Amino acid sequence: MLKIFGTMGPSCFEEEIIQKMFEMDMTGMRLNLSHINLVDCKEWTHNFYQAAKKAGVIPELLIDMKGPELRLSRSLKCMQLEEGEVVNKDIFDFPEIIDSYLVENQKVWMDDGKIRLICLKNNQLKVQNGGLLKPGKSIALPGCDIIPPTLTQEDYGNLAYAKECGVTGIMQPFVRSKEDLIIVRNALNENGLEDCKIYAKIENRVGVEQLESFLPYCDEIIIARGDLANSVGIENIASCQHYIEQVLKKYKFPYMVVTEMLNSMCDNKTPTRAEVSDIYHAVYNGASSIMLTAETAAGKYPIEAMYYFTSIAKTALKDKGQGTEI
């Protein structure tokens, strides 16, 4: 059975909105803990379970860990960066772990590569792709092999609270080796979360190369196309997704497709034709789960986005000969 997830956030934490999304056949939701801690989501999770009860759904709640992902500080102020502008690196308050990598000609990509800079001399960077940079956005340094710890102290704190919140699955970012997944499983067991599923996010070349070794240690693979595209090149992301799908089909292993599936609906009431095709083919080609992220968490039209998401998925299932059950 296909699972369909939305992401909770400022645009869809209210009970009435979540209930409508469940009534459209959404099966669960994600909390992105890159931007908030689980203990601060009591109102959201209360509304989530109340909405599920009213809609007659037994829901799944996934938490997306911080893990080894590199992100800007949540206390960073929004800033508009203009193409060609030269700025000092200190304005970004980058994590210390990347300081030694910020050498001349090193590329620095932020917000899933939407904003791109290149390092100059004297701690300065030149903006190549500008835009509005918001706090907590992802950081990628193409070509660099940076190795942060598998779980952060905030991750361990969130896991200690996860059972109380009814969390059913852990999304682990930037999985690099089976050891990452063993560390996550041990942390789950230590917190009474033995039944919690592990979703391994493939977000770089190392993850793609090690993919088959992950399978005995997780429950589902996530093709996380945002940072993965930064790593393999955006022009290669469809090819990379296809490769991962073929490997997982060989093992009959479940996988989820995420990132920008209805990105235009952050601002528009209807999707693009390309987005419809993307969702259709993800489901038709065998995804066991699909997920909306910013579209529901921060977009203007979370209910409309979920309507199109589930409707397109049902069409794909019907054409595949599996009915329309989600």
Side-chain angles (χ1 to χ4, degrees):
M1 187 174 79
L2 179 70
K3 295 179 181 179
I4 295 185
F5 293 92
T7 297
M8 270 187 275
S11 293
C12 68
F13 68 88
E14 295 173 347
E15 182 181 320
E16 183 181 354
I17 292 176
I18 298 173
Q19 181 180 342
K20 287 180 180 178
M21 293 163 72
F22 275 128
E23 289 169 349
M24 291 171 181
D25 290 323
M26 178 180 75
T27 54
M29 297 193 84
R30 157 190 179 251
L31 274 169
N32 183 4
L33 300 185
S34 294
H35 304 296
I36 195 169
N37 286 320
L38 192 54
V39 71
D40 299 320
C41 297
K42 289 181 180 179
E43 180 186 359
W44 292 9
T45 54
H46 171 78
N47 291 346
F48 171 76
Y49 287 112
Q50 286 296 110
K53 184 177 180 180
K54 289 181 179 179
V57 173
I58 300 174
E60 295 196 41
L61 178 62
L62 310 186
I63 55 173
D64 202 339
M65 310 297 279
K66 296 182 189 299
E69 184 174 24
L70 297 171
R71 284 188 177 268
L72 294 165
S73 169
R74 292 204 298 265
S75 62
L76 187 74
K77 293 182 179 179
C78 291
M79 62 181 77
Q80 182 69 38
L81 298 171
E82 303 295 340
E83 185 175 339
E85 181 182 2
V86 175
V87 296
N88 192 284
K89 77 168 188 176
D90 293 340
I91 69 170
F92 299 110
D93 191 21
F94 286 132
E96 285 186 23
I97 196 170
I98 73 171
D99 276 351
S100 62
Y101 296 88
L102 298 176
V103 298
E104 189 175 3
N105 294 321
Q106 173 61 50
K107 297 174 181 177
V108 180
W109 294 355
M110 295 182 281
D111 194 4
D112 288 342
K114 296 182 183 72
I115 293 175
R116 302 188 179 193
L117 303 94
I118 189 165
C119 292
L120 307 176
K121 295 179 180 178
N122 303 320
N123 292 328
Q124 292 188 311
L125 298 96
K126 184 175 183 179
V127 180
Q128 295 183 313
N129 283 26
L132 180 64
L133 182 62
K134 299 179 181 180
K137 293 300 182 181
S138 63
I139 306 168
L141 275 63
C144 293
D145 187 17
I146 304 171
I147 309 176
T150 302
L151 294 171
T152 67
Q153 286 306 116
E154 286 178 291
D155 286 332
Y156 284 109
N158 286 324
L159 288 178
Y161 190 59
K163 187 171 184 178
E164 184 178 337
C165 290
V167 171
T168 60
I170 304 297
M171 298 170 65
Q172 178 62 20
F174 286 92
V175 177
R176 302 157 294 191
S177 66
K178 67 181 184 182
E179 285 73 23
D180 280 339
L181 297 172
I182 292 169
I183 288 170
V184 173
R185 177 53 69 192
N186 288 339
L188 292 176
N189 292 344
E190 289 166 6
N191 286 281
L193 296 161
E194 293 85 356
D195 295 330
C196 209
K197 292 182 179 179
I198 296 177
Y199 294 74
K201 295 175 76 174
I202 307 303
E203 301 193 81
N204 54 28
R205 289 182 184 274
V206 175
V208 176
E209 292 164 1
Q210 297 296 318
L211 176 63
E212 292 179 66
S213 70
F214 299 161
L215 306 189
Y217 302 95
C218 65
D219 299 282
E220 191 159 336
I221 293 292
I222 299 178
I223 306 175
R225 302 180 298 182
D227 283 292
L228 184 57
N230 289 340
S231 181
V232 304
I234 196 165
E235 67 277 14
N236 298 314
I237 187 59
S239 173
C240 186
Q241 176 176 331
H242 178 71
Y243 168 77
I244 295 170
E245 288 172 338
Q246 295 311 303
V247 170
L248 297 176
K249 285 180 187 178
K250 181 175 74 172
Y251 290 98
K252 297 182 180 179
F253 199 85
Y255 66 91
M256 178 190 296
V257 179
V258 306
T259 315
E260 295 184 341
M261 301 198 83
L262 284 174
N263 190 58
S264 72
M265 290 195 70
C266 288
D267 296 302
N268 301 311
K269 268 195 169 184
T270 56
T272 68
R273 277 65 174 163
E275 288 166 339
V276 172
S277 181
D278 179 41
I279 297 164
Y280 178 94
H281 285 104
V283 175
Y284 192 89
N285 290 338
S288 51
S289 309
I290 54 175
M291 175 181 286
L292 293 179
T293 53
E295 299 93 338
T296 57
K300 294 179 181 178
Y301 306 105
I303 295 172
E304 290 85 351
M306 187 54 67
Y307 164 76
Y308 281 110
F309 203 43
T310 56
S311 297
I312 298 161
K314 289 176 183 178
T315 299
L317 289 174
K318 177 174 65 69
D319 289 353
K320 197 176 180 181
Q322 294 184 355
T324 58
E325 184 182 357
I326 291 174

